[in-house]
Amino acid sequence: SNLEEFGRLNRMVNDMLFLAQTENAPDNLRLETLNLTETIQGLFEYFEAWVEDQGVALQTRGQVTAVKADRELLRRAISNLLSNAIRYTPRGNIVTVRLYQDLRTTTISVENPGQKIPTEELPQLFNRFHRSDPSRQHRNEGAGLGLAIVKTIVDVHGGDVHAESDDTMTRFVIVLPRPSED
């Protein structure tokens, strides 16, 4: 149990360092053109064993043209959202990543069926160390930094992230600006 606690504390410290570095040096983005569909498929493959163990499925809806972003940071943000969605999706259900693009924005939505998050709690979800209602918590759950990391990553890309939840679905939405064509 000491090793497990050490591992948890190590991950928390690393996450706090990541947040500080990203917030204090937003100009260090390594922007490149990404195929978002391929990026998400790669994350689906990464989570494949856990998804099978949890008894849930992953699917993508929609397509977008290439986006300009920092590959590792965007992968981490989407990975954090997928991890949460998988954790809170009841067995036999599907986590859906929806992609949408218009002339000005690219939208990535991670949706899962499950217990509703109270409306008054939604704005607080992206705060550091925020912990959900105890009935939604799982043993060995993180330190409440995952969604703060998502927000920081989206912010340094000039985007927006928010959460929506009702009696049937919870949805986390990332909206990234599309660079103007030169």
Side-chain angles (χ1 to χ4, degrees):
S1 70
N2 285 341
L3 271 173
E4 286 177 7
E5 183 64 14
F6 175 74
R8 189 184 72 74
L9 290 172
N10 185 45
R11 285 187 301 277
M12 182 173 66
V13 168
N14 286 335
D15 286 347
M16 290 170 51
L17 286 170
F18 173 83
L19 280 167
Q21 290 169 343
T22 304
E23 288 173 345
N24 292 323
D27 296 334
N28 287 344
L29 287 178
R30 286 182 238 123
L31 296 178
E32 59 183 290
T33 301
L34 303 176
N35 179 323
L36 199 50
T37 303
E38 285 179 9
T39 299
I40 290 169
Q41 284 308 119
L43 288 170
F44 282 8
E45 290 170 15
Y46 174 79
F47 284 114
E48 185 174 11
W50 186 36
V51 166
E52 286 180 23
D53 187 51
Q54 293 290 106
V56 300
L58 301 174
Q59 70 179 1
T60 306
R61 296 283 185 241
Q63 291 211 348
V64 297
T65 60
V67 297
K68 199 150 189 112
D70 183 302
R71 177 184 307 276
E72 293 308 312
L73 291 182
L74 191 57
R75 279 180 52 91
R76 183 158 187 185
I78 297 168
S79 177
N80 284 2
L81 295 180
L82 279 171
S83 175
N84 284 347
I86 294 165
R87 182 177 294 117
Y88 290 112
T89 298
R91 279 186 101 62
N93 285 281
I94 299 171
V95 173
T96 303
V97 177
R98 293 187 192 279
L99 303 174
Y100 173 77
Q101 200 167 47
D102 61 27
L103 293 174
R104 289 198 238 149
T105 62
T106 298
T107 302
I108 307 160
S109 170
V110 178
E111 308 171 354
N112 69 286
Q115 187 178 359
K116 178 182 180 177
I117 300 171
T119 305
E120 62 276 2
E121 190 175 329
L122 292 174
Q124 300 170 28
L125 291 176
F126 298 96
N127 294 343
R128 291 180 188 187
F129 304 112
H130 177 75
R131 300 304 295 253
S132 296
D133 175 66
S135 67
R136 290 182 53 88
Q137 290 186 22
H138 292 261
R139 190 174 190 281
N140 296 326
E141 188 174 334
L145 292 171
L147 292 176
I149 288 171
V150 171
K151 181 171 180 9
T152 298
I153 291 169
V154 172
D155 285 350
V156 298
H157 280 85
D160 182 55
V161 62
H162 67 274
E164 306 164 354
S165 189
D166 61 30
D167 291 333
T168 62
M169 182 75 55
T170 296
R171 176 180 300 115
F172 286 84
V173 181
I174 294 173
V175 180
L176 298 173
R178 291 186 68 192
S180 57
E181 299 296 322
D182 293 332

